Structure formats: C-alpha cells, structure tokens
Amino acid sequence: MAPRRPYWKGYLKLSLVTCPVAMVPATSESEKVRFHTLNERTGNRVVSQYIDSVTGKPVKDEDEAKGYERGEDDYVILTDEDLESVELETVRTIDIEKFVSRDKIEWIYLDTPYYLTANDKIGDEAFAVIREAMKAQNVVGVSRVVLGRRERAVILEARGEGIVVWTLRYGDEVRPENEYFTGIDKKSDAEGVNALEKVIKKRTKNWSPEMVSDPIQESLLKLIAEKKKAKKPSKKTAEKSRDDDKTKSDNVVNIMDALKKSVQKELKSRKAG
Amino acid sequence: MTAHRAQWKGHLKVGELTCAVGLYTAASTSERISFHMLNGKTGNRLKRELIDSETEEVVERDQQVKGFETGNGEYIMIDPEEVAAVMPESDKMLEAEAFIPCGDVDDVYFDRPYFLVPADEEANDAFTSIRDALSKTNSTAIARTVLFRRMRTVLIRPHGNGLIATTLNFDYEVRPSEEAFKDVVKVKVEGEMLDLAKHIIGTKIGDFDPGKTDDRYETALAALVKAKAEGKSLPKPKPVKVSKPNDLLKALRESAGMGSGSSGKPKAANANSGKKKSSTTSSKSKTTHRKAS
C-alpha cells in the first residue's frame, strides 16, 4: 500500500515534554474492489454535486459552507478556521495523563487503530523517549483526542519504532454482556474440556495475515485483469454500451461464475483441512 | 437465550464438538455532531444531485447501474443484487481451523465484536466446554464462514460466561505496522533520559475505566457557536511549545520533580474527569442533531 497523507497532525505530550506527531489510520478500504455508480445510457461514472435547495442551481465549491443548526432553519455558519478555535486542548494535543497495564483494557472497547509517529526531526528523540519508557514499564498510555468531531478516549501502545493509538468505544456503545450471557452455565464438563485442550494444542499456530485473505476479492481482481486485457483501450461511447447488451450480460455471467467457484472452493478446502 | 435478535445463526464446531449458536452485535457506533451544508451566498440548505461525470446531465435513479473499473475509465456494468444472489448458501458452520495464543494475535486486524451465545439449552454443554478449553489454554480460535454476504474470518475468545467473536479485516485492508514505521529515524534511548521517563510514567500508573469517558467536544463547540452568533471575536488557538532536543533532558528532569512532589494526588484532568455532568448532557443532545444530508 502506498504511504498515506497524515489523517491527523498535532502534538504528543507527557508532562513537560511535547513533540509534534502525525497519525494515519492502520486500515483502509482503498484496495478493496468496489462498485461504482455508472450512467446506464453513457457508461460514464456518476458523481455527486451540491445544488441550492431553493434556487436549484449548482453551488460552487467556494460557496459551500458548514452550518450549525441552532434552531429550526436557524444556522450559524462555521468556517474551518472557526473550528480551529474550539477551546479544547484535545483538538490538537494528546496529553498522556495516565498509564495502565495493557490487559486492563478489554478488547471489546478497541474501536479503530491508528499509527502515530514523530512529525518533525525536532520531535524524534522526545517521541522515542516516551515510546521506550512505555515499553520498559510494560504499560499503555491513556489519553483523549478529538477525531471526526468527537472527543475519544484513546490508548497508546508502543510497537516497534512507533506507537499504535486505539480509539476506545464509549460506555454506551458497548452492549451489556449480561443481557446476552445470562443462562449460560458457569461450570463445564471437565472431561470435555480436557479432550478439547488436546485438540487446541495440536492445532495451535502462529498468527499470519494469510488467515484473513479474501478469496472473493482475489477472483474479482483476476477477472477484472482479464477483462482489461481483452478489451480494446478505446473509450466506450453511448452507442456502444447500448448495442452491447450481449457483452454486458456476458460480463455479468462470468463474474457470477467466478464468485460462485471461489466461495465453494474456499468452503471445501476448509473442510478438508 | 436472550431477548435480542441474532445477527447470524449457525453452529460452532471445535474438534468433534458442535453446538447451535447465535451472533449478536456487541458494539454500536454513536453519531457525531453533524453540520448541515449551506450555500454561503444565499444561506439556503444544499441538496445532493448525481450527475454524469462527462456530460454533467442529472442521472436519475432508474438510470444508475453499478460497475467495476477496469482501468483507464473503462467499466464493466454489473448488477450487485445478482452478485449477492449468487453467493452460495453458507453451510452456517463456524469451524475452528486453527488456534492462536492470545498474546500472538495482531489486534490491528480487529473489526467488530459480536457476542457468541448458545442457541438453546441443549447447546450449553458443548459451548461451555469450548469456552473453558480456550480459556485454560489461553487461546483464541480462528474460524471462517460466509457472514453478511462475505467470506469473513472471525476470532473467537472467551469473555465472562460467554464467547466473543470479532470479525477481522482482510489482509489488504490493513497496513502492517512494520511498514508504517519503517521510515522512523532510529533513536537510541538510554541512561538518565530513559530513567526519568520511566519514573514519570511510574507516577502516573493507575486505573482506567474506558466506559466512563465523556465527549466534551459538543459543549466546546456550542460555546464557539454562541460566541460567533453574538459577534464576538473567536480566540486564536494558543501555539503549542515543542520541547527542543537540547532542552529535552531539562524538561524530563522538571517533569520528574513535579511527579514526585505531588505523588499522593495525581493531577486532575485525567481521562475520566468530569464524567457525571457532561456525559448526561452530551448523550441527550446527541439525538437532537440529526445527520446532515
């Protein structure tokens, strides 16, 4: 994957030590094969544009404004510059106020992971000091930061040469497990557990990204590559896509077959293994 | 066994043991404050319209079709409903393919958690055996099945009296941390600097309940909106003072001094502070701001 532009730029702070940092999401949908919306008549991509709801006219980018609704049909326009003035330190500073051992944070609270690195030479050493001290103490940092107009609790975990930042779910976003787990016996059958422990030990493996491959994406990519090769590089025209009903249905049928095959293969290979 | 509606029903299989189970959403996402898009000139609300990228004509719903890009602006048209329809009926079997020690799991792949619950009384024995065998071996199970119209990998682990199944992101959706950090300048940290930083951290080790954090952004934004509406000048953000490499040791020494001086009482402003009051107001007002177009 290509390096990405920072998603968030700001500062990392531990007591009186502050350094500039940048953050990127650890996950991205950019490599996923996606559907696009096309105009059936021309075969061109369809894009969205803003129009004024009263005049019905398209609105230029520079005239687009964000409105905060104070009351019905009563808006206060906020510019990006205005938003910079929100008086909350966590908008641009991750101040690590507390440290806890990693196992104190249940997995169910982990929401979205980001990678944090120093954003300027000036901060390289301070960043490294904070990171290495967390490793040495075997703890994760706890802080807050505003991301996407929400102030999130985050934990910071040193990993390799960087820090992984996890946003945590709010308390009301995690459903109460008791409502789901009531009625499940606390005790279990010792003999059954023993037998399963043997199965588990025999089939224990190391984590590998191969465990999260996507057979459907793989066959789609192959198929698209074939289509690309087969097709002339000429640009499609309205006439062509209209006359070309047969080609269209061929494409559809081929994709269906490929999908069906890849899923069945996957289900079968799993059974065998 | 619960009043909630299952997202998925099927069987969990580990070794020779099988039991009927259901998957239930364990976490939801609350909405953030959203703005409405306006025309700055007229003050009117904006609407979205879909237009042809080349002819710029409006494309009505019945003229919209789906397609894959094959590169160079070439597309294959396709009907996504047919794609969904062609997915074979899943065998509805979550079968453990492999087991991974808890500490060996790369959590960066985590997507969404689901409570995994036995479907009926009969399933209880097998279910509790699986749960306790995983917990005694400190292991998680990897299983794959057709879930929500995709072939998904889930990680199953014991949690309280039940199990949690977390869907995992696909390999191409996750950027490995080694790759993200490969350009970081290597700095050796040792001696007094490291000792001081360790000491500072030591004074700040404590308890933390993630469930008790509130969102203070909405309150801060409301204050800003009020100031702007009243025509007051908005405060300029204060510049942040960055520690210079030459001053780093001094900053660490001062921080360490501060920490030990007030060790009995950790400074306020920790992540859980001020929870009571603002958490109720923020959750209430969350519903009043609907999502913008």
Side-chain angles (χ1 to χ4, degrees), chain A residues 62-166:
Chain A
E62 66 258 32
D63 290 336
E64 286 171 15
K66 291 191 184 90
Y68 181 93
E69 191 173 21
R70 270 198 310 176
E72 205 174 329
D73 282 330
D74 176 16
Y75 301 100
V76 175
I77 288 181
L78 295 173
T79 63
D80 288 343
E81 205 188 2
D82 290 342
L83 290 173
E84 295 276 301
S85 299
V86 168
E87 285 186 284
L88 199 58
E89 271 189 32
T90 51
V91 168
R92 58 191 77 78
T93 303
I94 302 175
D95 186 356
I96 318 179
E97 297 140 347
K98 199 184 265 189
F99 295 86
V100 297
S101 66
R102 176 65 180 79
D103 55 19
K104 286 269 167 67
I105 312 289
E106 290 194 48
W107 276 354
I108 199 167
Y109 280 100
L110 302 181
D111 190 356
T112 310
Y114 297 86
Y115 294 134
L116 187 77
T117 51
N119 193 28
D120 189 291
K121 272 209 313 285
I122 200 172
D124 281 345
E125 194 171 15
F127 182 85
V129 167
I130 296 171
R131 183 194 67 214
E132 291 309 307
M134 286 201 292
K135 276 189 200 166
Q137 293 280 42
N138 199 19
V139 287
V140 297
V142 175
S143 185
R144 316 203 212 194
V145 66
V146 172
L147 291 175
R149 279 180 237 136
R150 294 203 297 167
E151 188 185 42
R152 312 293 307 269
V154 292
I155 55 166
L156 298 93
E157 186 176 12
R159 187 191 281 213
E161 303 292 316
I163 292 175
V164 176
V165 174
W166 275 98

Side-chain angles (χ1 to χ4, degrees), chain A residues 48 82 188 234 270-271, chain B residues 48 74 91 132 144 172 228:
Chain A
S48 109
D82 290 342
S188 57
S234 75
R270 195 198 63 193
K271 290 280 140 58
Chain B
R48 268 184 194 285
E74 296 267 344
D91 60 354
D132 291 350
R144 215 180 267 220
Y172 55 84
K228 180 150 189 190

Side-chain angles (χ1 to χ4, degrees), chain A residues 150-205:
Chain A
R150 294 203 297 167
E151 188 185 42
R152 312 293 307 269
V154 292
I155 55 166
L156 298 93
E157 186 176 12
R159 187 191 281 213
E161 303 292 316
I163 292 175
V164 176
V165 174
W166 275 98
T167 55
L168 302 180
R169 298 191 163 95
Y170 295 105
D172 58 3
E173 292 179 330
V174 174
R175 307 225 167 133
E177 61 193 64
N178 293 341
E179 287 180 19
Y180 298 83
F181 291 159
T182 132
I184 304 176
D185 293 338
K186 217 181 167 117
K187 286 178 88 179
S188 57
D189 171 47
E191 227 171 280
V193 173
N194 265 334
L196 281 179
E197 278 184 64
K198 287 192 192 105
V199 174
I200 291 171
K201 278 183 188 137
K202 215 168 73 193
R203 285 158 73 182
T204 290
K205 288 183 187 167

Side-chain angles (χ1 to χ4, degrees), chain B residues 32-45:
Chain B
R32 65 175 188 176
I33 305 163
S34 50
F35 296 123
H36 292 282
M37 292 306 290
L38 305 179
N39 182 345
K41 278 210 179 122
T42 64
N44 297 329
R45 285 279 294 272

Side-chain angles (χ1 to χ4, degrees), chain B residues 1-239:
Chain B
M1 300 190 104
T2 138
H4 301 273
R5 218 180 65 108
Q7 294 287 309
W8 182 90
K9 279 182 176 175
H11 286 82
L12 172 65
K13 186 173 181 201
V14 178
E16 296 306 310
L17 268 188
T18 306
C19 59
V21 291
L23 285 179
Y24 298 82
T25 307
S28 52
T29 307
S30 50
E31 273 183 31
R32 65 175 188 176
I33 305 163
S34 50
F35 296 123
H36 292 282
M37 292 306 290
L38 305 179
N39 182 345
K41 278 210 179 122
T42 64
N44 297 329
R45 285 279 294 272
L46 300 187
K47 276 201 310 199
R48 268 184 194 285
E49 214 170 55
L50 292 176
I51 57 166
D52 188 295
S53 56
E54 285 177 35
T55 66
E56 298 196 349
E57 63 183 330
V58 175
V59 183
E60 299 297 343
R61 206 148 230 275
D62 57 356
Q63 272 180 44
Q64 296 167 15
V65 290
K66 296 286 174 186
F68 290 115
E69 186 170 12
T70 58
N72 305 325
E74 296 267 344
Y75 295 93
I76 305 171
M77 288 191 194
I78 187 169
D79 184 345
E81 275 174 26
E82 284 185 73
V83 175
V86 89
M87 291 292 260
E89 267 302 297
S90 158
D91 60 354
K92 299 272 182 189
M93 184 69 86
L94 266 176
E95 182 175 356
E97 295 170 39
F99 301 90
I100 302 173
C102 278
D104 197 35
V105 174
D106 188 351
D107 53 19
V108 168
Y109 285 85
F110 286 5
D111 183 19
R112 294 178 159 277
Y114 295 86
F115 294 122
L116 182 58
V117 176
D120 48 41
E121 196 54 47
E122 213 179 303
N124 234 322
D125 282 352
F127 184 91
T128 53
S129 296
I130 292 169
R131 178 195 68 202
D132 291 350
L134 285 174
S135 145
K136 276 179 83 178
T137 52
N138 201 18
S139 297
T140 64
I142 287 277
R144 215 180 267 220
T145 192
V146 178
L147 213 55
F148 318 124
R149 293 179 165 176
R150 295 289 291 274
M151 177 72 77
R152 298 296 303 259
T153 304
V154 301
L155 184 84
I156 299 166
R157 62 176 199 273
H159 182 96
N161 274 354
L163 293 169
I164 287 184
T166 303
T167 50
L168 299 179
N169 282 310
F170 292 118
D171 48 4
Y172 55 84
E173 292 175 307
V174 175
R175 188 176 181 210
S177 59
E178 303 83 39
E179 193 193 298
F181 296 144
K182 73 174 189 300
D183 294 332
V184 173
V185 182
K186 291 208 165 70
V187 182
K188 203 156 189 211
V189 182
E190 51 191 2
E192 191 185 354
M193 284 224 206
L194 183 62
D195 289 342
L196 286 168
K198 279 167 66 181
H199 174 77
I200 297 164
I201 289 176
T203 63
K204 291 172 182 276
I205 288 176
D207 281 327
F208 172 62
D209 180 354
K212 286 185 176 152
T213 309
D214 58 316
D215 181 351
R216 298 174 301 178
Y217 187 74
E218 191 162 352
T219 316
L221 184 67
L224 178 88
V225 167
K226 191 163 173 276
K228 180 150 189 190
E230 288 168 359
K232 288 187 190 145
S233 67
L234 301 177
K236 282 267 169 298
K238 271 181 262 149

